[in-house]
Amino acid sequence: MMDLYVPLQASEELLPEGLDISFKLVPAIIVVGMMLTFLAAGFLYKVADTDDMWVAGRSIGNLENGMAIGANWMSAASYLGMAALIALSGVYGLAFVVGWTTGYFVLLIFMAAQMRRFGKYTAPDFVGDRFNSDAARAIAAITTFLIGFVYALGQARGMGLVGMYILGDWSAATGGALSAYQVMMVVFMIVTIAYLTLSGMLGATKNMVLQYVILIGAFLLGLLATGWAGGYSTILPQLEYGQLITQLDSEFSDPFAGGSYYLWIATCFSLVFGTCGLPHVLVRFYTVQNERVARWSCTWGLFFIALLYLSAPAFAAFGTALYGEEIGAVYGENGMTGAAGDVIVVLASQLAGLPTWFVGIVAAGGIAAAVATTAGLFIAASSAISHDIYANIINEDATQHQQVLVGRLSIIAIGVLTIIFALNPSAPVAALVSFAFSLAAIVLFPMFFLGLWWENTNRPGALAGMTSGLIIWLIPMFNEGHFGPGFGVEWLATWMPAIGSGLIGVPIVFAITIVVSLVTDEPPLETKQMVRQCHSPEPMPRDKTAADVVAEKNGRAPADD
């Protein structure tokens, strides 16, 4: 089994070998200025009502939302982890490029406009109303919170690692209670929590546009300069890096040297359908005015994401070559560690001899990526708690002020939880994130897809599918020791790895949901009409939802939501 599953134990220092861990003035000014700007935007767009808090007042345009989708999506796992995986595991890492990109095509074709037509505030909101069940809403909300927590662990690790490069080792300031990595992780997480509690979705979206510009500019300029300085490429490193592959170790390019064919397929499958089940991705389609804007913003988002994904393999090749030339063997027992791999983008820029201030800009892009995605995750998770559990189940008479307050407290709660567990993360950035994709693929994607496209999917079917999905996801997580010491059942780890458990779990949950729906009562006629309206060829009026249109057809006034 590849290095993805080797836990980084509590006693192990997260200090990437070869990385210059020291305080750097110009990069520090850049990063501190960037974080202060995020805080200022959070204060400027401070929200007071639930519309702005959860769906940015449905006021975001297609280009702006496309950039927000790009920033929301391109986390530390994309900015740092994708190049790291390709560098450490060669062709296996391409499963992430293929899986994440393909997932957006599925979203664009089957779900973006349809979700907007249904027209809710959150992903659990869709599940609760589509299946007429508070229990289904609660399970979806808890799953959303869990996804946000697991996904954010990878972002926190990325912030800590890159923060060490820029600001150095500040562990002495805590009397040695925290390591250099832990100090940086805690500091950046606190700033992120602070601006999110102020701004909600509205401020987070405005910040995501800025964060996208920073991260894509830093990544592309960093790649161009690294390839040029290393003598590997000129103006098109995304194509020219191919000439370098024959000079790298065979582990980089031999098919499946870093993981089996089955593991590649399982990982890719989980990533494709996990993309379509991630609440913080789907909720972006609720921030726009209508289905047309939702579809166009998904198209723009895919374009902005592709800019980075087409470049990550080149960065991995340059980083692998430079590491081998200047530090030592890349593969084998004494090869590159997971910590060094996680910062290969920054490390490559440093090893290429680029000026420190320029490497600082590349590092700042990594922090912007991690912060942007953490923002989307925390907003989705807090809205699940405040809107779906508190306002819809616990206190149906909750005022807007109470809902916003509970939302802010939820952001703080998930932030603190993330900080605690990220002190000693159990796996590299991309692996941590991929566990969340498996969860989203197994538990939520079948509910969204069947809920939108098969009108006979009913409440018992959804409850049976989601409950069994949660159990299926937990089995490999416990087996591999991500929630404890681990069972270590080898055949289970081989055929149902946590990173690719969707390949087994998704078909099982689809089957359970369909069979239970077929042997129990059909959903109400009005629910079926709403499903038909979600993919009707007739255009929907602006500012109308499927529920509004169905209510009007049935001679009733649309209900307030």
Side-chain angles (χ1 to χ4, degrees), residues 45-281:
Y45 292 100
K46 185 177 179 181
V47 297
D49 62 59
T50 52
D51 258 16
D52 285 346
M53 186 77 181
W54 308 134
V55 292
R58 304 196 196 279
S59 61
I60 307 301
N62 57 29
L63 185 60
E64 190 179 15
N65 203 38
M67 296 176 82
I69 287 173
N72 195 22
W73 179 255
M74 287 187 287
S75 63
S78 293
Y79 194 96
L80 302 170
M82 187 177 290
L85 273 173
I86 296 171
L88 288 168
S89 54
V91 172
Y92 173 77
L94 293 179
F96 287 74
V97 179
V98 175
W100 283 339
T101 309
T102 307
Y104 263 89
F105 279 105
V106 178
L107 267 177
L108 175 62
I109 296 169
F110 294 106
M111 297 176 70
Q114 291 79 11
M115 288 294 284
R116 181 61 191 90
R117 278 191 168 207
F118 204 90
K120 293 297 168 184
Y121 281 91
T122 67
D125 215 12
F126 168 83
V127 174
D129 283 13
R130 168 61 182 83
F131 300 113
N132 308 300
S133 169
D134 279 345
R137 184 193 304 274
I139 294 174
I142 292 169
T143 305
T144 298
F145 191 88
L146 198 54
I147 289 171
F149 164 63
V150 175
Y151 206 134
L153 289 178
Q155 313 314 310
R157 172 172 164 141
M159 290 181 205
L161 288 172
V162 178
M164 276 195 300
Y165 169 79
I166 296 173
L167 299 176
D169 183 353
W170 287 78
S171 58
T174 66
L178 297 177
S179 68
Y181 154 78
Q182 290 169 335
V183 171
M184 287 300 111
M185 184 273 292
V186 171
V187 167
F188 283 106
M189 282 297 297
I190 287 175
V191 175
T192 304
I193 293 167
Y195 92 74
L196 282 177
T197 52
L198 284 173
S199 66
M201 179 62 90
L202 183 60
T205 300
K206 301 299 180 186
N207 266 332
M208 284 175 188
V209 173
L210 175 62
Q211 286 155 353
Y212 177 78
V213 173
I214 293 171
L215 76 90
I216 198 65
F219 196 89
L220 295 181
L221 287 174
L223 175 64
L224 190 66
T226 301
W228 189 287
Y232 305 128
S233 62
T234 53
I235 59 172
L236 275 177
Q238 293 87 349
L239 298 178
E240 294 172 88
Y241 83 95
Q243 303 173 72
L244 181 65
I245 289 180
T246 55
Q247 301 170 36
L248 302 177
D249 293 335
S250 60
E251 287 87 344
F252 187 89
S253 55
D254 278 0
F256 315 117
S260 69
Y261 177 73
Y262 177 82
L263 183 63
W264 197 98
I265 295 293
T267 304
C268 194
F269 185 94
S270 284
L271 297 175
V272 170
F273 296 106
T275 300
C276 303
L278 285 176
H280 76 287
V281 172

Side-chain angles (χ1 to χ4, degrees), residues 31 37 39 85 124 138 218 240 245 264 270 279 288 290 316 320 344 361 382 419 429 431 440 468 503 516 523 540:
V31 169
T37 304
L39 277 171
L85 273 173
E240 294 172 88
I245 289 180
W264 197 98
S270 284
V288 299
N290 55 48
T320 303
I344 193 68
I361 292 175
S382 67
I419 288 173
V429 171
S468 55
L503 184 61
V516 174
M540 288 263 291

Side-chain angles (χ1 to χ4, degrees), residues 283-349:
V283 78
R284 292 241 51 96
F285 303 129
Y286 292 142
T287 65
V288 299
Q289 193 176 44
N290 55 48
E291 59 182 295
R292 185 174 183 277
V293 181
R295 192 176 278 121
W296 268 110
S297 61
C298 187
T299 305
W300 276 115
L302 184 57
F303 169 74
F304 291 135
I305 290 167
L307 289 178
L308 187 141
Y309 282 11
L310 290 173
S311 305
F315 233 136
F318 297 160
T320 303
L322 288 163
Y323 188 98
E325 291 169 9
E326 303 194 26
I327 297 179
V330 179
Y331 303 103
E333 188 176 347
N334 298 315
M336 186 191 303
T337 64
D342 269 347
V343 291
I344 193 68
V345 169
V346 180
L347 188 57
S349 305

